[in-house]
Amino acid sequence: MAVGSKELASIELDTFEDERLVEELKKAKEELFNLRFQSATGQLESHGRLRAVKRDIARIYTVIRERELGIRATPVVTEAPAKKAAAKKSTKKSEADASADAETSTDAGTEEEAE
């Protein structure tokens, strides 16, 4: 990749989720608009940046289209180990709460029957 952003290489774009790709596309389009505006007013310092941003936009569109066609795989979302541990703790806590609620409801039912 001779021209373009170093952070938007096609290999790195493969790891982005669809939402992040759309977000990066919006950022690139905004930057292109600003660069064109600077060019029109004579304030643009780096004309090569226009070309780089256009290529980034094209690269993002290519990845999105290849995913639609099934040429490129969509990355699998994996939870971080800390999030998994927190999720396990919350499910254990919710199971404990559910069993406590069940015991309370059965106790209330026995008290009503006793009266």
Side-chain angles (χ1 to χ4, degrees):
M1 180 174 81
V3 177
S5 299
K6 297 196 187 295
E7 66 265 0
L8 289 181
S10 61
I11 295 171
E12 186 174 334
L13 289 175
D14 285 340
T15 62
F16 289 175
E17 295 177 15
D18 291 336
E19 295 84 22
R20 177 130 186 243
L21 278 175
V22 171
E23 180 181 318
E24 290 294 328
L25 182 64
K26 286 181 183 178
K27 286 181 188 176
K29 283 187 172 186
E30 286 179 19
E31 184 178 359
L32 181 63
F33 174 79
N34 291 332
L35 289 172
R36 283 183 177 158
F37 195 85
Q38 289 174 4
S39 177
T41 59
Q43 298 174 350
L44 185 63
E45 295 177 8
S46 174
H47 294 283
R49 187 68 187 142
L50 275 168
R51 185 176 185 187
V53 173
K54 285 181 184 179
R55 287 187 178 201
D56 287 342
I57 291 171
R59 197 173 291 117
I60 293 169
Y61 274 131
T62 301
V63 170
I64 291 171
R65 182 63 179 152
E66 286 178 348
R67 286 185 184 176
E68 287 175 359
L69 296 175
I71 297 170
R72 226 179 258 246
T74 305
V76 177
V77 180
T78 57
E79 292 185 38
K83 289 183 180 178
K84 286 183 180 180
K88 287 181 181 179
K89 287 180 183 177
S90 65
T91 56
K92 287 182 181 179
K93 186 177 179 182
S94 63
E95 289 174 1
D97 291 342
S99 64
D101 290 341
E103 289 176 7
T104 306
S105 64
T106 55
D107 291 342
T110 55
E111 290 176 8
E112 290 175 1
E113 292 174 5
E115 291 178 4

